[in-house]
DNA sequence: GTCTATAGCCCGATAGAC
DNA sequence: GTCTATCGGGCTATAGAC
């Protein structure tokens, strides 16, 4: 689950003209579909923004839907989880790192995340894409669950944490925070950040084991 | 914020033909828009399902968008919060009741909830409707926050709970559970229920004050 | 590979008879 | 109020020149 994308951007000048044009069409389509949705993005619009004719698009791609699937593939390219050297952290920091990287990803990929959520809600995405998204979801949840379980076994977390359920609830809350961004008024910029911090705080308030020799009420104060 | 809908269904046979037809168009449109979305529901389809001609729809409603707004109004009718005699419960039960009623509502209004979420994600809903939804959201969050604050003041909850933030986080998690229903595989029927129960359990595990005379580690066991 | 031109379809909306 | 018939526009997709 380490970094595995990138590359490819730097070798463009070595590619034949046809491929470059195809590529420009693809990224233009990905951007426009993400911004305005499939229905509201006629081929003529993609053609204009990519500086090609409609007909050329349909020479490269069999149909508008074919272009759509190809663009979706491109949209999903950055969806990987970069965990770097997570192993060197204690369990609490592992979990915080996971939460932060989820949130960072959502923040930095607003358009395509909105695109994917739209497809989920309408159940209209190609199966391959939806199962890709679902797989990422499961991988992330399992990373969380494993970190929680390690914390439980090492005694840093309470013995009654339930790794699977707790991980699922954290992911679900993160999804809710993601949705919050779609509902909130425009004038409230940082609510999502506040919620993420509060999620972390309350999660550990509940999961961390009490210091062995503590007295009752030891954490009554903030 | 009490019950105020119903009625109206039983008096249909007393209405003139034109109104009944208009009504049939409206409910048919509401159903189809919810199921397949605005773009994928041509007037011809609504006409066929409602057993009228396209032209008749456009005699009753100025345009397709006008029909859409009217149908949205109908969709939103059941969106109210029925809190009945919540005052007679203790704070924990008040919160559980609020959570349950939120979840019960989304479970029973799948189509229209999906419809509204779709509009939110695409930011394409009429402003009036979106602000109506937002208002309900705020009302619900405030009910939660007030219950939490009462629990804090009465000493049943820990003194360091943060009513606004905790309420916002609970609502957000409920939104995430709602989204979960759109992503989950078909074969996993009750995950949402499990998550709601786990949300309640962990929320109170964290918010409830320890019994005054407890010793350290009193809740180490399940 | 890339273009212009256009065929062919579907949709929302209008006209007008009943 | 309800219908049939049709218009005008925008869209995907194809044909064919370069």
């Amino acid at each position: 689950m380490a970094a595995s994308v990138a590359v490819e951007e730097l070798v463009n000048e070595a590619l034949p003209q046809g491929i470059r044009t195809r590529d420009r069409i693809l990224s233009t389509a990905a951007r426009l579909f993400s911004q305005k949705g499939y229905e509201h993005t006629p081929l003529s619009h993609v053609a204009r923004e990519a500086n090609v004719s409609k007909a050329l698009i349909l020479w490269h791609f069999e149909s508008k839907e074919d272009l759509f699937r190809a663009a979706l593939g491109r949209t999903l390219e950055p969806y990987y989880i970069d965990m770097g050297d997570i192993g060197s952290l204690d369990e609490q920091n592992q979990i915080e790192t996971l939460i932060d990287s989820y949130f960072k990803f959502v923040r930095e990929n607003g358009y395509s995340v909105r695109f994917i959520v739209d497809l989920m809600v309408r159940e209209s995405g190609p199966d391959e894409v939806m199962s890709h998204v679902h797989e990422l979801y499961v991988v992330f949840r399992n990373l969380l669950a494993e970190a929680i379980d390690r914390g439980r076994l090492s005694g840093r977390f309470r013995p009654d944490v339930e790794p699977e359920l707790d991980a699922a609830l954290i992911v679900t809350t993160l999804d809710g925070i993601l949705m919050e961004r779609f509902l909130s008024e425009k004038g409230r910029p940082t609510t999502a950040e506040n919620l993420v911090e509060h999620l972390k705080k309350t999660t550990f308030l509940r999961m961390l084991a009490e210091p062995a020799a503590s007295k009752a009420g030891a954490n009554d104060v903030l």
Side-chain angles (χ1 to χ4, degrees), chain A residues 102-128:
Chain A
Y102 179 105
F103 188 61
K104 177 162 171 284
F105 174 80
V106 171
R107 182 156 31 80
E108 291 176 355
N109 293 272
Y111 279 139
S112 61
V113 167
R114 183 180 294 264
F115 194 18
I116 300 293
V117 171
D118 183 37
L119 292 175
M120 277 169 42
V121 172
R122 308 179 65 127
E123 288 177 336
S124 56
D127 282 351
E128 9 149 6

Side-chain angles (χ1 to χ4, degrees), chain A residues 6-27:
Chain A
V7 195
E8 141 178 65
E9 296 290 350
L10 301 170
V11 278
N12 269 352
E13 60 273 13
L15 292 169
Q17 171 69 14
I19 305 279
R20 265 214 312 250
T21 302
R22 186 194 149 94
D23 217 60
R24 199 173 63 247
I25 293 171
L26 210 44
S27 51

Side-chain angles (χ1 to χ4, degrees), chain A residues 5 13 18 23 42 45-46 70 75 81 101 127 129-130 133-134 140 146 159 161 163 170 172 177 188 192 194:
Chain A
V5 184
E13 60 273 13
D23 217 60
H45 195 173
V46 179
T75 294
I81 302 175
S101 68
D127 282 351
V129 174
M130 285 302 106
V133 172
H134 187 261
F140 183 79
E146 287 159 16
V161 296
I170 290 172
T172 300
I177 293 174
R188 227 175 19 150
N194 293 342

Side-chain angles (χ1 to χ4, degrees), chain A residues 129-202:
Chain A
V129 174
M130 285 302 106
S131 59
H132 183 172
V133 172
H134 187 261
E135 188 195 330
L136 286 164
Y137 175 87
V138 170
V139 166
F140 183 79
R141 196 185 57 203
N142 284 345
L143 286 172
L144 268 180
E146 287 159 16
I148 294 173
D149 203 35
R150 281 194 298 274
R152 181 181 64 86
L153 293 172
S154 76
R156 261 188 286 268
F157 292 165
R158 300 164 50 118
D160 61 347
V161 296
E162 301 169 73
E164 307 286 337
L165 263 176
D166 285 317
L169 195 63
I170 290 172
V171 178
T172 300
T173 305
L174 286 169
D175 288 341
I177 293 174
L178 155 75
M179 287 306 295
E180 158 91 4
R181 296 163 65 93
F182 297 142
L183 180 60
S184 64
E185 319 94 301
K186 306 292 178 281
R188 227 175 19 150
T190 53
T191 307
E193 278 84 355
N194 293 342
L195 286 173
V196 170
E197 288 312 309
H198 199 61
L199 168 65
K200 288 196 271 193
K201 178 180 159 192
T202 58

